[in-house]
Amino acid sequence: MPRNCIRETSPKENKIIVWKMDLPNKERRSPENGPSSARPCCSSLKKFLVALSFAYFAKALSGSYMKSTITQLERRFDIPSYLIGVIDGSFEIGNLLVIAFVSYFGAKLHRPKIIAIGCLLMSLGTFLIALPHFIIGRYKFETSIRSSVNSTNSLSPCRVRSSVLAAGPSASSVPSSGCEHESRLSMWIYVFLGNILRGIGETPVQPLGISYIDDHALEENAAFYIGCVQTISVVGPVFGYLLGSVCAKIYVDIGFVNMESISITPGDARWVGAWWLGYLIAGFITLLSAMPFWFLPKSLPLPERQLDKYSPERTSFIKDSPLLEHKYQADEPANFLEMAKNFLPTLRSLLGNQVYFLYLCVTIIQFNSLIGMVTYKPKYIEQHYGQSASKANFLMGVINIPAVALGMFSGGVIMKKFKLSIMGAAKFALGTSLLGYFLSLFFFAMGCENASVAGITRSYNGTESLCKVDSSLLASCNADCQCPETNWDPVCGENGLTYFSPCLAGCRTSHGSGMNTVFEQCSCVAVGNHTASAGQCNNRDSCHRVFPYFLALSVITSFIISLGGTPGYMLLIRCIRPQLKSLALGFHTLTTRTLAGIPAPIYFGAIIDTTCLKWGQKKCGGRGACRIYNTTAYRIAYLGLTMGLRTASFFLCILGLVVLRRHVRRQERNTLANGGTGAAAGELQALRKEENNSCNSDQWPRTTDYDPERETRL
């Protein structure tokens, strides 16, 4: 005999849910897909997992490639670091424009197709970033070196009573009409707009993709699937930085200039790699990632194994419950006006969740630290440890990023293996973050001395340390040369000092060509034969010795910190009601991008700019890119800001853990009060057993008195 049970969910809802006998499996249907079965559902879900993983890979590749080209863009467009931060933050500006609406309305529409449209926009934006290379003039760098061995012209860097440097552009020359035209066209604007378009296109991938997986995956597999997708998103930067390494070795105007005329190497501060080439490759890969989503269904039927886990009475309750309709059934054509009216009340309800709100505050602060650190880490390796841009990107790709990917994956495996509850996930994430924090303090001890540059970090006699910001490079030994002080064309004297240019070294003659050029009769080089060779002196032996230890510690700390990534992400999903899942993920992404992704690169770059000792000058006037930094000040500013933000976040972490524990105990008391005897007690014990066996068992009401106001589900 079928039996019916009537149960009230809460006084506010004032609804009655009827428990019915379980229907035969053959009659289970999905509104769009017809009769359901476990195999088609699992097959479609796996296809979606593969497609989403590839989309994550594509967006992560292009995003990491953007960060790998920071120094290339600085030199090519002759702009300071804070302006690079504005360009980098424009991606988050694109997210800010649409993410709240995509997350809210997108959950009610065809999620795979919306993701496909986003991938197309990302591809278009990536192609737009590369556009300036094809409309801007050829790259010209300052040089006093003959580029051809067949040249017989006498080269004299120091011409007495000459106001113009013989070989190379002069900062004091009158701007030409072409210069005026170039100054009106800021080509970096195209990069800025293209990155905004990338941000708009990336918007639906994360909130709609993750919520789609969590809606249709088996409960015990949800955390593992999400961990796999997140791992793929970390693998993408490996190839992004490797692509950046390869492109940084190729000269920017490859194919348009005679490479024999290029007298600088990839390790030179004036070198600009083929930054545009990587954007064309990344744009094509992103375009391919959009294809599979057009062929995926709007929703999937509930897997039979999901229903078989419950008793017949609970199975029929689940099938007919409003939660199931929200999760698995296709939505009817939505009334956008009604959805818009419900947006603000829904958002107010979401932010009223104390656990969610504190988690949001913690991640905002930690993302400020993370984004600022990752954005300028390749530049830090270049400037602090004297590595080339190509090598810095290579090391980031093959050493640091794989450690993060392994940590993210291991975190998901640990959570699945040990069946961590919401409290266990919170404690695990906090513990790994604290351990990584204390290990990161050792970075302060891995410092390097400043490069010895005459007139900037050392006096011209090499005996006194200076480190004066924008100090004069003129001295008695080069006073007659009347050299421009803005043309960075370094030469290494016999005395081990680097000079800003051959002219400022007081060199009168030279012989040879290219990198084999030797400058002679250098009045500022007071030892030996008074000669200097092309390029900067490489005499920072102690810095090269400490660099491997820096890399090793960087790998260890990255792995430990990323271990808590997946448990922390599952905490975000589990601390809110299922109906608010897409909105919660979208709003979390919105706030972190707005309050961390946009400002962090800007103020990190501005603080790094304060450590610059000598600025270059644009061809048409105005301050250009920094030529040399105060290494000690750079290290303190970069690491100090990173660690200071993480320190502040731990205070909120502790408060959040206390609030979460209080919510856990309150719900346990309410559960015991409402189900202490009879069949209710048996059901309570069964539900507790399910909680211990699955970190994702909180998607359905657990007590006989479900309160929608209680959002922390355990």
Side-chain angles (χ1 to χ4, degrees):
M1 292 285 296
R3 57 191 183 92
N4 298 334
C5 291
I6 299 177
R7 179 172 67 101
E8 293 186 0
T9 58
S10 72
K12 292 185 178 181
E13 289 186 348
N14 196 22
K15 292 182 180 179
I16 298 177
I17 300 176
V18 180
W19 291 10
K20 302 177 181 179
M21 288 295 291
D22 188 20
L23 296 175
N25 290 339
K26 296 180 180 180
E27 298 179 9
R28 295 175 186 161
R29 290 178 176 268
S30 170
E32 284 191 9
N33 304 317
S36 67
S37 61
R39 180 170 296 179
C41 170
C42 293
S43 177
S44 297
L45 180 60
K46 290 178 180 178
K47 291 178 182 178
F48 182 84
L49 281 171
V50 173
L52 186 65
S53 297
F54 188 49
Y56 263 68
F57 172 83
K59 75 181 183 71
L61 183 145
S62 59
S64 60
Y65 183 77
M66 162 65 76
K67 296 187 182 300
S68 75
T69 58
I70 279 181
T71 52
Q72 311 293 311
L73 296 176
E74 279 187 24
R75 297 168 186 171
R76 186 64 185 94
F77 300 112
D78 218 4
I79 54 180
S81 295
Y82 86 89
L83 200 51
I84 282 292
V86 173
I87 294 174
D88 188 74
S90 62
F91 179 85
E92 276 69 31
I93 294 176
N95 270 262
L96 172 64
L97 295 176
V98 297
I99 193 168
F101 301 99
V102 168
S103 300
Y104 183 69
F105 295 108
K108 305 174 184 298
L109 302 174
H110 199 301
R111 285 179 283 187
K113 288 187 177 179
I114 293 177
I115 295 175
I117 294 173
C119 291
L120 291 177
L121 291 177
M122 275 197 294
S123 176
L124 181 61
T126 308
F127 288 133
L128 181 60
I129 293 175
L131 181 62
H133 171 75
F134 301 98
I135 59 179
I136 198 173
R138 300 290 170 254
Y139 175 58
K140 297 178 181 179
F141 54 90
E142 309 98 332
T143 182
S144 299
I145 301 175
R146 285 195 297 263
S147 58
S148 173
V149 295
N150 297 323
S151 175
T152 58
N153 297 330
S154 175
L155 178 64
S156 177
C158 174
R159 289 187 178 181
V160 180
R161 297 185 183 88
S162 174
S163 59
V164 180
L165 188 63
S170 171
S172 61
S173 60
V174 178
S176 63
S177 58
C179 181
E180 293 174 357
H181 176 70
E182 183 178 340
S183 65
R184 289 197 301 266
L185 294 176
S186 298
M187 290 297 159
W188 62 266
I189 293 295
Y190 291 95
V191 182
F192 178 83
L193 295 176
N195 215 26
I196 287 181
L197 192 57
R198 279 188 57 244
I200 294 175
E202 191 266 352
T203 303
V205 177
Q206 180 176 354
L208 300 187
I210 295 298
S211 63
Y212 192 93
I213 291 176
D214 196 61
D215 282 349
H216 301 105
L218 292 173
E219 290 182 280
E220 65 269 17
N221 293 331
F224 179 73
Y225 288 158
I226 293 175
C228 290
V229 173
Q230 296 287 353
T231 301
I232 295 297
S233 71
V234 182
V235 172
V238 174
F239 292 89
Y241 279 107
L242 289 178
L243 180 62
S245 176
V246 172
C247 292
K249 289 183 179 179
I250 305 173
Y251 187 67
V252 59
D253 293 321
I254 183 73
F256 297 95
V257 297
N258 180 11
M259 292 304 298
E260 293 182 358
S261 66
I262 305 302
S263 58
I264 56 176
T265 63
D268 196 288
R270 294 163 291 174
W271 178 272
V272 175
W275 59 273
W276 53 273
L277 180 60
Y279 286 111
L280 296 181
I281 297 173
F284 178 73
I285 293 175
T286 308
L287 182 63
L288 291 179
S289 69
M291 304 303 178
F293 291 102
W294 295 106
F295 307 100
L296 291 168
K298 178 180 180 180
S299 62
L300 299 175
L302 181 67
E304 291 185 7
R305 286 182 58 198
Q306 185 84 355
L307 293 174
D308 293 341
K309 292 175 57 178
Y310 302 97
S311 61
E313 292 81 1
R314 290 191 67 215
T315 300
S316 57
F317 162 71
I318 290 173
K319 287 167 54 183
D320 293 286
S321 68
L323 287 177
L324 182 62
E325 293 176 4
H326 176 81
K327 274 181 64 101
Y328 294 105
Q329 293 183 5
D331 295 320
E332 296 296 330
N335 186 326
F336 282 89
L337 183 60
E338 291 183 3
M339 288 193 293
K341 289 180 179 179
N342 293 332
F343 177 73
L344 288 180
T346 305
L347 182 61
R348 190 181 303 113
S349 173
L350 177 65
L351 295 180
N353 185 330
Q354 294 180 347
V355 177
Y356 178 81
F357 182 77
L358 286 172
Y359 181 91
L360 197 62
C361 294
V362 169
T363 52
I364 287 173
I365 298 176
Q366 290 191 344
F367 273 42
N368 269 272
S369 174
L370 176 65
I371 292 173
M373 183 269 294
V374 172
T375 300
Y376 293 100
K377 189 168 187 177
K379 181 174 180 176
Y380 178 76
I381 294 175
E382 293 177 50
Q383 298 295 332
H384 197 76
Y385 295 101
Q387 306 296 323
S388 67
S390 176
K391 187 174 181 180
N393 291 329
F394 178 80
L395 293 173
M396 285 286 292
V398 302
I399 296 180
N400 205 75
I401 301 300
V404 176
L406 181 61
M408 295 283 289
F409 180 78
S410 300
V413 172
I414 290 174
M415 190 169 185
K416 178 178 175 65
K417 180 177 179 60
F418 294 98
K419 301 177 176 62
L420 297 180
S421 64
I422 189 172
M423 275 299 300
K427 292 177 180 178
F428 183 77
L430 177 59
T432 55
S433 184
L434 279 171
L435 180 57
Y437 170 82
F438 288 119
L439 289 175
S440 298
L441 294 175
F442 288 100
F443 284 126
F444 285 98
M446 299 179 179
C448 290
E449 71 280 3
N450 286 312
S452 298
V453 181
I456 299 180
T457 62
R458 292 279 182 178
S459 60
Y460 271 87
N461 58 20
T463 59
E464 182 183 356
S465 297
L466 299 177
C467 290
K468 296 179 180 178
V469 177
D470 279 334
S471 59
S472 174
L473 294 171
L474 299 179
S476 58
C477 61
N478 58 27
D480 294 336
C481 295
Q482 298 184 16
C483 307
E485 299 183 49
T486 58
N487 292 340
W488 173 251
D489 186 17
V491 293
C492 180
E494 283 185 280
N495 54 0
L497 279 178
T498 298
Y499 296 88
F500 208 78
S501 69
C503 181
L504 288 168
C507 302
R508 307 280 178 170
T509 62
S510 68
H511 69 270
S513 64
M515 296 305 296
N516 295 321
T517 301
V518 176
F519 298 91
E520 299 172 330
Q521 300 180 25
C522 301
S523 57
C524 293
V525 182
V527 297
N529 296 323
H530 306 283
T531 61
S533 57
Q536 193 170 347
C537 295
N538 187 16
N539 52 7
R540 303 168 70 189
D541 294 334
S542 61
C543 193
H544 294 305
R545 286 195 298 267
V546 77
F547 184 57
Y549 297 101
F550 168 83
L551 291 178
L553 184 61
S554 179
V555 169
I556 295 173
T557 55
S558 297
F559 173 77
I560 292 175
I561 293 174
S562 60
L563 274 175
T566 301
Y569 204 80
M570 294 306 299
L571 172 63
L572 169 64
I573 295 176
R574 298 300 171 230
C575 71
I576 42 88
R577 293 200 301 263
Q579 297 94 329
L580 303 179
K581 198 181 309 176
S582 292
L583 179 61
L585 291 170
F587 189 77
H588 174 265
T589 305
L590 167 68
T591 52
T592 53
R593 294 279 171 82
T594 304
L595 301 179
I598 295 176
I602 298 175
Y603 66 76
F604 262 81
I607 291 176
I608 289 173
D609 285 340
T610 63
T611 67
C612 182
L613 293 175
K614 192 65 178 179
W615 290 95
Q617 187 173 351
K618 294 182 180 179
K619 182 170 56 178
C620 302
R623 194 173 75 173
C626 182
R627 299 307 187 190
I628 186 170
Y629 291 90
N630 183 338
T631 302
T632 302
Y634 193 141
R635 181 178 73 254
I636 294 174
Y638 175 74
L639 296 178
L641 187 55
T642 300
M643 301 302 292
L645 289 169
R646 290 175 61 186
T647 301
S649 71
F650 288 130
F651 293 100
L652 288 178
C653 282
I654 295 173
L655 178 60
L657 202 63
V658 172
V659 172
L660 180 61
R661 184 185 298 275
R662 186 177 62 189
H663 276 252
V664 170
R665 292 177 178 176
R666 181 187 305 167
Q667 186 167 353
E668 287 178 349
R669 288 196 300 267
N670 292 338
T671 301
L672 292 173
N674 294 328
T677 59
E683 184 180 357
L684 175 62
Q685 294 177 357
L687 291 176
R688 281 183 168 177
K689 183 177 180 181
E690 288 174 11
E691 177 186 351
N692 294 329
N693 292 334
S694 174
C695 65
N696 194 24
S697 61
D698 54 342
Q699 295 187 11
W700 311 111
R702 300 194 171 203
T703 67
T704 55
D705 187 11
Y706 174 68
D707 183 1
E709 296 297 320
R710 199 165 58 235
E711 297 184 354
T712 304
R713 305 175 332 278
L714 308 173

